[in-house]
Amino acid sequence: MSAPIFAFVGNPNCGKTTLFNALTGLRQKVGNYPGVTVEKKEGECFSQHGKRMRIVDLPGAYSLAARSPDEAVMRDVLLGRRADTPRPDRIVCIVDAANLERNLYFASQILDLGLPVIVVLNMMDQAESAGLRIDVAALSRRLGVPVIPCQANSGTGLLELRVAMSRADLAPSPRPFWKLPAELAPAVDELVEVLRGSGRSAEATLRAEALLLLGDRETLAAAGLLFAPEALPVVERWEQRWRSAGYDWKGALVAARYGAARVIVHEVVNASKVRSGPSLTDRIDAVVVHPVWGWVTLAAVLATVFLSIFTLAEYPMNWIDSGVAWLADTVRGALQPGDLRDLLTDGVIAGVGGIVIFLPQILILFFFIGLLEQTGYMARAAFLMDRWMGRVGLDGKSFIPLLGSYACAIPGIMATRTIESHRDRLVTILVAPLMTCSARLPVYLLLIAAIVPAEQVPVFTKVGLMFTMFALGTGGAFFFAWLFKRTLLRGEQPMMILELPTYHIPSLRSVGLHMLERASLFLRKAGTVILAISIVLWALTSFPRTEEATPAEQIANSYAGHLGHAIEPVIEPLGFNWQIGVGLITSFAAREVFVSSMAVIFNVDENEEDATVPLRQALLEARWPDGRALFTPLVCFTLMVFYVFALQCVSTIVVVRRETGSWKWPLVQIGYMTATAWIACFAVRQVGLALGFS
Amino acid sequence: MSTNPPSDCPKTLPLCLLAPGVQAEIFSLGGKDAINHRLRELGFCEAAKVKKISGRHTVMCEVCGTKLAISAELAQLIHVQPVAAA
C-alpha cells in the first residue's frame, strides 16, 4: 500500500511551513505545479511505526474561495481536481491558537471536505503569552476531530502530531460544527444530487463543492469548467430567487460559519487572564508603523541589509574567486592547449564561476528577507509602503517582491505569485528587474573605481555612488509601474488586505532551509541557462580563430567583435565604442560578465591578485582611434546608468517567460528597458557634455 | 460601488475616518459583491466588532482578534458605528 498523503493547509502566518519543515527536515523537494506558476512543496516523514508518510504543503489561504493562483491550486488539490497531484488521503489543518476565531472559518471549510482531518493548534506559546487558555479537549469535541496543541518552532507537540497522523482509525468529522442557514439547505441538497449524478466528484466532497458553487461561482467559472456544467443553471436559478427576495446568501454563509466559530471560541477559550493594555506587539508597532519613526526604522533596516551585503559577503566572495581561479589553473595545467581546454576554462568554469561568486550576497539577502518575514516585520513594511505603492497603482504587497529583487530579480519575480490581481502581478514582474540587483554590483564597482581616481576608494564614496544607482533603479521601477497601470495594464486601484502577524522570534532553522532552497533554485536555474549562454558567448568570442593573435586581437576579429563593430553606430552617441559594445553583448547572459569581458578585451590577466587594479588602469589607458580617452568619468557614469535600466540577464527573461506563460511580456520587457537605457544614457551624455565633461 | 451607507441608517462613518483606538461595529459594506465577500471572509462581517489602531490612509485595525492592514480604498467601503466605551 502506498504511503498516505497528508495535505498541510492553513491560513497564512499560522506556522504551517515551520511545521512542515520541522517534520520533513531536508526530506523535501520543491518544484512547480504544471501549467501554473505555483510552488509545489512535498516532503516525507515517518509515522510512529516507522512507515513513510507523504506530506504536501499547500499554499496558505483564508478560504477555499480562491483569489489568487496559489489559492486556486490549494482548492483544486483538495478537491482532487489536479491530474498531476493525487487527492490527499488526510488533511492536517493548522490553526493559529492566538487567532482562533478567524482560523476556524477556514477550518470549517476544510472539515466540510469530508476527509479525515487533524487540527493542529499551533503557536500555543503566543496564545499563552497573550493570556489565553484553550480547553483543547473541548475544542476537539466541538470540531469532532483530533486537536493537537503545538509549538512548531520549538518542536513541542510534534511527537503527538506524528502519533495522530499514524492512527489508522482517523475519520472525517461526523457533523459540521456550523449550521447551514435554512434558506440555503434546499439549494445545497439539490446541488449535491446534481453533482452526484454528474459523476465528476468524490462522494465525500459533494457538500463542500455545492457550498463552494453557491459562494464563489464567478471564480470557478473563470477557472474553467472544473465542475459539472449541469450544476451552473441550478446555481443561477437559486441566485435569481434569492436576489429577488433581497436575500444575501453569500453573506449568510459567511455569517453562519463565523457565528459558530465565535460560539466555540467563547466556550473553549478562557480569556480571563488576558492582560489589559497594549501587548508587546502593539508597543513595537507604535514605533515601526509610526508616521515618522516607522520610516526611520525602515531606512535603518534597509541600510543594515545593504551594508551587510557589501561588507560581510566580501570574504566568502574572495574565497570563491580564488577557488574558481585555482580550478581554472588546474584544468589549464592538466590539458593540452586547444579548444577543449579553452572551452572548459574560459567557457564553463568562467561562466559557472561568474554565478557562484554572487551566492554569498544572495544568501545574505535571503537571510535578511527570511528573518524579516519570520519576525512579522515584512508585513509592517508593506503597510508603510502601501500608500506610496498606491500612488503608482500598486499595493503594499508588491513591495515585498520588489525588495527581494534587490538581491536578484528571479526570486523577486517568483514572489509575485501571492499578488492576487493578475494585472498588478504583471506590472510588478515587468518593473522588478529595474531594482538594482546584486549582479550589477561588480559592474558598478569596476566603473566607480575608474571614476574615482584614488587607489583606495573610500567605502562611503562607493556607497554614495551605489546609492545613486539604487535610487535611479527604484525610481525607474516606480515610474514605469505608474505608466503601465495607466496605459498597457490599466486596471482598478488595488485594494490590499494584509494580516499583520504577532511579532515572534524567527525560526533560524526555517530561515536556513529557505536560504538553501532559494540558493539551489538560483544555482539550478541561472547556472544551467547561463552556462549554456556562456558557452555560446565563448564560441562567439573565440571564433573564427586568428592565428598568433593576442586575446584582444582575437576578440576584435571574432564574431562578437564583428557584432560589436556592427552596433557601434547605435552606441557611439552614448560615448561607447565597439569594445564596450562587445561587453554589452556578452553581458546579455549576465551583467557581471561585463567585467570579465573587459578584462579579456583589454588584455588583463584576471589571475593576478586584485585584478581590479590593473583592469581599472587598463580602462583608464584605453583610447579611441583619434587618441581621446575612452573610459572618461562621463562614459563610466553613463555605462552605470545603462546597467541600471537595461535588461542584461537572460535568466530573468527565462523566468519571466515561465511566470507569465508566454514570450509576449519578456519581449515587452526587453523592448522598454533597452529603449529606456538608450534614452537615459543619451540624456546623461548630452547633459554631461553641456556641463563641460568629456 | 457605494461609499455612502443608506440614508435610513444610524449614524455611521467609513472605517478610515474612525479615530485610532476606537472600537466600532460594522454596519454595512459598500463594495462590489466580490470585494464584500472577501472582506466578510476575513472577519469584516456585518455586526462584527472592529477596532481601529492607526492610519488615515492605509488603515491598521483589529477584527476577530487579528491585526489587519487594509488599503484606504477598502477602508472607505466599510461603514462602522462607534461603540461606546464600557
Side-chain angles (χ1 to χ4, degrees), chain A residues 366-605:
Chain A
F366 287 153
F367 169 75
F368 278 107
I369 288 178
L371 211 62
L372 294 174
E373 278 178 344
Q374 289 255 330
T375 54
Y377 177 76
M378 199 64 95
R380 274 76 180 177
F383 167 79
L384 278 174
M385 290 301 297
D386 181 61
R387 184 180 167 197
W388 300 103
M389 303 295 288
R391 296 266 170 103
V392 299
L394 297 174
D395 73 36
K397 278 189 195 170
S398 291
F399 174 67
I400 297 164
L402 292 180
L403 182 64
S405 297
Y406 278 129
C408 176
I410 293 168
I413 288 168
M414 288 161 66
T416 61
R417 291 166 179 181
T418 56
I419 298 173
E420 292 175 6
S421 158
H422 177 66
R423 275 201 178 86
D424 291 351
R425 184 165 174 255
L426 263 177
V427 169
T428 310
I429 288 173
L430 283 175
V431 305
L434 285 168
M435 307 300 275
T436 300
C437 66
S438 54
R440 290 171 166 96
L441 298 184
V443 180
Y444 293 165
L445 284 168
L446 171 67
L447 295 170
I448 288 169
I451 290 174
V452 182
E455 281 303 309
Q456 291 295 328
V457 181
V459 71
F460 285 109
T461 308
K462 276 192 225 177
V463 172
L465 276 167
M466 206 77 75
F467 182 78
T468 305
M469 296 302 125
F470 272 87
L472 262 179
T474 308
F478 274 67
F479 169 74
F480 278 104
W482 173 86
L483 188 65
F484 289 142
K485 281 300 305 258
R486 275 157 183 74
T487 54
L488 205 57
L489 289 161
R490 196 197 303 261
E492 286 181 358
Q493 188 71 5
M495 299 192 190
M496 179 182 79
I497 309 176
L498 183 65
E499 183 180 341
L500 301 172
T502 311
Y503 288 111
H504 53 270
I505 309 283
S507 161
L508 289 178
R509 186 164 187 261
S510 283
V511 172
L513 274 170
H514 179 69
M515 284 165 66
L516 245 162
E517 178 193 307
R518 290 285 160 225
S520 72
L521 267 172
F522 172 74
L523 285 174
R524 207 163 54 227
K525 300 274 183 308
T528 46
V529 174
I530 288 190
L531 174 59
I533 297 291
S534 296
I535 293 172
V536 168
L537 288 174
W538 168 81
L540 284 176
T541 53
S542 305
F543 297 101
R545 282 286 189 208
T546 305
E547 296 303 325
E548 294 176 2
T550 65
E553 287 166 349
Q554 169 61 47
I555 286 227
N557 297 323
S558 70
Y559 294 120
H562 289 310
L563 274 172
H565 281 288
I567 68 169
E568 195 176 47
V570 177
I571 57 177
E572 200 176 338
L574 312 181
F576 306 159
N577 73 343
W578 72 270
Q579 290 163 312
I580 297 177
V582 172
L584 298 183
I585 290 167
T586 57
S587 67
F588 186 68
R591 293 173 176 96
E592 53 269 45
V593 172
F594 178 81
V595 176
S596 48
S597 298
M598 292 296 101
V600 171
I601 290 168
F602 293 101
N603 266 0
V604 174
D605 183 353

Side-chain angles (χ1 to χ4, degrees), chain A residues 63 99 258 285 386 496 498, chain B residues 32 38 41 58 65 67 69 71:
Chain A
S63 166
N99 287 303
Y258 264 114
D285 275 342
D386 181 61
M496 179 182 79
L498 183 65
Chain B
K32 290 182 184 169
R38 186 63 161 166
E41 287 192 309
T58 309
K67 257 190 194 177
S71 304

Side-chain angles (χ1 to χ4, degrees), chain A residues 62-65 67 71 98-103 105 109 215-216 243 248-251 254-255 258 262 279 281-282 285 289 379-380 383 386-387 395 420 492-501, chain B residues 1 29 31-49 51 53-75 77-78:
Chain A
Y62 294 107
S63 166
L64 284 181
R67 295 283 179 270
E71 292 178 344
N99 287 303
L100 200 52
E101 188 178 328
R102 209 274 315 285
N103 280 247
Y105 175 84
Q109 294 181 320
D216 193 33
R243 215 172 273 124
D248 180 7
W249 69 98
K250 291 184 186 178
V254 175
Y258 264 114
R262 207 166 292 132
S279 64
T281 293
D282 293 333
D285 275 342
V289 297
R380 274 76 180 177
F383 167 79
D386 181 61
R387 184 180 167 197
D395 73 36
E420 292 175 6
E492 286 181 358
Q493 188 71 5
M495 299 192 190
M496 179 182 79
I497 309 176
L498 183 65
E499 183 180 341
L500 301 172
Chain B
M1 189 180 333
L29 303 177
K32 290 182 184 169
D33 278 354
I35 293 173
N36 289 348
H37 188 60
R38 186 63 161 166
L39 284 170
R40 288 190 187 108
E41 287 192 309
L42 284 165
F44 291 96
C45 301
E46 285 82 348
K49 296 283 187 291
K51 181 180 167 189
I53 299 173
S54 68
R56 280 180 300 168
H57 302 276
T58 309
V59 164
M60 190 189 292
C61 61
E62 191 173 307
V63 66
C64 284
T66 307
K67 257 190 194 177
L68 295 170
I70 60 174
S71 304
E73 293 78 11
L74 274 175
L77 303 175
I78 302 171

